[in-house]
């Protein structure tokens, strides 16, 4: 049997001088933005913005102007 290492959580925050990890950190972050639904909405917006920027950067022509435009 192989020796496995513990998977680390991607959430780490400091609350009142104490380091929170995992679910406790997630709940602390979610409470700051109005709950889990608020956190997921903000996360979804960030993912969409990052995806759009990646697509636009790939779609730029050699002279630096985009072949497609972002509509606000």
């Amino acid at each position: 049997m192989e020796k496995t290492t513990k998977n680390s959580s991607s959430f780490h925050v400091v609350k009142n001088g104490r380091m929170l990890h995992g679910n406790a950190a997630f709940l602390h972050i979610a409470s700051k933005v109005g709950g889990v639904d608020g956190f997921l909405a903000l996360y979804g917006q960030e993912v969409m913005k990052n995806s759009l920027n990646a697509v636009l950067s790939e779609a730029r022509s050699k002279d630096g102007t985009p072949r497609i435009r972002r509509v606000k």
Side-chain angles (χ1 to χ4, degrees), residues 6-20:
K6 183 179 177 184
N7 292 335
S8 65
S9 173
S10 60
F11 293 112
H12 302 296
V13 295
V14 176
K15 177 183 176 186
N16 299 331
R18 294 179 27 222
M19 181 68 94
L20 299 177

Side-chain angles (χ1 to χ4, degrees), residues 4-69:
T4 60
T5 59
K6 183 179 177 184
N7 292 335
S8 65
S9 173
S10 60
F11 293 112
H12 302 296
V13 295
V14 176
K15 177 183 176 186
N16 299 331
R18 294 179 27 222
M19 181 68 94
L20 299 177
H21 305 275
N23 288 339
F26 172 75
L27 291 173
H28 178 71
I29 295 168
S31 70
K32 294 278 187 180
V33 294
V36 174
D37 290 337
F39 173 79
L40 292 176
L42 287 176
Y43 180 74
Q45 290 173 359
E46 284 295 316
V47 168
M48 287 187 290
K49 187 182 348 175
N50 291 340
S51 300
L52 178 62
N53 288 335
V55 168
L56 287 177
S57 67
E58 289 180 15
R60 293 196 191 283
S61 63
K62 292 180 182 176
D63 61 358
T65 59
R67 287 184 246 149
I68 58 176
R69 291 185 179 174

